[in-house]
Amino acid sequence: GESGKRTRVYGPPPADWHGDCQSGELWSQDDCNNKLIGARYFKDGFTNFEINFSGDYLSARDADGHGSHTASTAAGNAGVAASILGGDLGTVSGIAPRARIAVYKACWADAGCAGSDLTMAIDQAVADGVDVINYSIGSSATSLASDDIAFLFAADAGVFVATSNGNSGPGAQTTGSPAWDPWLTSVGASTQDRTFQGSASSSDGWEFFGASVTGGSEELPLVDSADAGSELCIPGELDPGVVAGNIVLCKRGAIARVSKSQAVAVAGGAGMILYNASDSDTQNTDNHYVPSVHINFTDGSVIKAYIASAGSAATAQINGGTFTTIPAPWMAAFSSRGPNGGAFDIIKPDITAPGVNILAANTPT
C-alpha cells in the first residue's frame, strides 16, 4: 500500500479534469492525491494593498480551519475516526464521501477575501472542470458584486453552486450577496438532533447543561471574568492574579468564542463557563483551549449572581461533553433571514440544512 494519505478507493481524476496542485508554503504537489485532486490559492487581489499574510500559509494549506471544515463536511471520506483533544467522538462522513475535492483558497486569516480573488477562484474552478462549487462565504450586502456574476457564468456552464445564506441573522432582510442570486442554491443553517453535552456544576447544589467537546476539570474556585478585568475575556486583559488555577465565567460577544478560552489559558485559568448574551443564541461545541462548557444566558446569569453572593467561596467544575440527542431542527440565530432585500420576488434561502456543531476536519494550526 501507499502512504496513509493516499486514498486507494479512487482511480485517477476524470479525463475532463484540468486542475492543478499548486505548491507553496508547507504544501507540495505530493499533498494532492486521487481524493484531493486540486489545490490552488489566490492573493493577487491584494497586490495594491500592504497586507500582512503572516497569520496564514502562502499556499493552499489551511491555517484557520474554515476550508478544511467546509471541504470535509461536503465530501470527506466515510468511516473516519473523529477525535477532539484526545476524546473519541465516533466516526464521521462527508455528505458526498465518494466525491473528489478541489480546493480554491481565496480568503486569508488576517486579510479576509478580495473580491477579485474570489471571482478568479470561481472562474478557475469552472475552467478546471468542477461539477459543484461549495461556497461558504456571504454578506448582507445587496449590491451586485463580481462573484455574483461569476456564479451566473458558472451556472451557464452547468456547474451547480451551493452557497451559505449568510451569518447576519436573526434579523429580517439580512440575506445578501451572493446568496440572494436566483441562479444559485442558498442554504440556511439549522440545528441537528445530535450534539455533545457537558455541564458546569458545584457542590453548592447547582448544575447547568450546555455544549462541550472538551474534557472536564476537578472542582475549583470560580471567578467572574468581569471581576478579572474583562467581562468578554479579551486575550491579554484578564488578571492572572484573579484567574490562575480557577474556573472563569466568560460572557459571549465581540470576539471569537475560542479566543475567550485562549484568554483564560494565557492567564493561567483551569476552565471556562461561556454564557450567551441572549437565550436565542446557539450553544456551540468549539475546540477550546481549556475544559469548557457553553450555556445559555439565563443559566449564566444565575451563576454570575451565585459568584457575587458566594464571593471567594464560589466553586465549580466542568463536566466534559458526551454524545446526546436534543430537540431539532431549529433555525440557527446567526443564519440570515429573508425577505430577499436584493429582489423581494425571489424567496431566499432556498433550503436549510444542518449548520450548527458540525463535526468535521480542522487544522492543527
Side-chain angles (χ1 to χ4, degrees), residues 312-329:
S312 60
T315 63
Q317 76 177 54
I318 305 296
N319 304 294
T322 56
F323 179 84
T324 188
T325 57
I326 55 174

Side-chain angles (χ1 to χ4, degrees), residues 3-4 43 76 83 92 94 96 108 149 176 190 202 221 224 231 240 248 254 261 266 275 291 300 337 365:
S3 63
K43 66 178 184 64
S83 67
V92 295
W108 300 83
I149 304 303
S190 51
S202 173
D224 188 340
E231 183 177 46
V248 183
S261 61
V266 167
Y275 71 101
R337 265 58 166 186
T365 310

Side-chain angles (χ1 to χ4, degrees), residues 123-170:
D123 288 348
Q124 187 66 61
V126 174
D128 285 349
V130 303
D131 299 302
V132 175
I133 293 177
N134 180 38
Y135 196 71
S136 292
I137 300 168
S139 74
S140 55
T142 50
S143 54
L144 201 63
S146 57
D147 59 343
D148 296 275
I149 304 303
F151 283 135
L152 179 60
F153 283 105
D156 190 48
V159 176
F160 177 82
V161 177
T163 187
S164 57
N165 200 57
N167 294 348
S168 300

Side-chain angles (χ1 to χ4, degrees), residues 152-293:
L152 179 60
F153 283 105
D156 190 48
V159 176
F160 177 82
V161 177
T163 187
S164 57
N165 200 57
N167 294 348
S168 300
Q173 202 171 313
T174 43
T175 298
S177 170
W180 67 282
D181 296 333
W183 46 82
L184 48 72
T185 297
S186 309
V187 186
S190 51
T191 61
Q192 56 178 326
D193 65 358
R194 298 167 292 174
T195 192
F196 290 87
Q197 186 179 64
S199 70
S201 63
S202 173
S203 57
D204 281 337
W206 54 263
E207 182 173 21
F208 296 108
F209 292 88
S212 175
V213 286
T214 70
S217 73
E218 57 186 327
E219 186 155 4
L220 296 165
L222 172 65
V223 297
D224 188 340
S225 57
D227 298 329
S230 179
E231 183 177 46
L232 294 175
C233 290
I234 308 295
E237 295 185 8
L238 289 175
D239 181 359
V242 176
V243 168
N246 300 332
I247 308 291
V248 183
L249 178 70
C250 291
K251 188 175 184 179
R252 181 176 183 174
I255 62 169
R257 298 180 301 268
V258 292
S259 296
K260 296 173 186 283
S261 61
Q262 183 180 29
V264 171
V266 167
M272 178 182 72
I273 304 169
L274 176 66
Y275 71 101
N276 282 329
S278 163
D279 281 342
S280 66
D281 286 335
T282 52
Q283 295 165 41
N284 301 82
T285 48
D286 296 307
N287 301 13
H288 284 294
Y289 286 79
V290 294
S292 300
V293 63

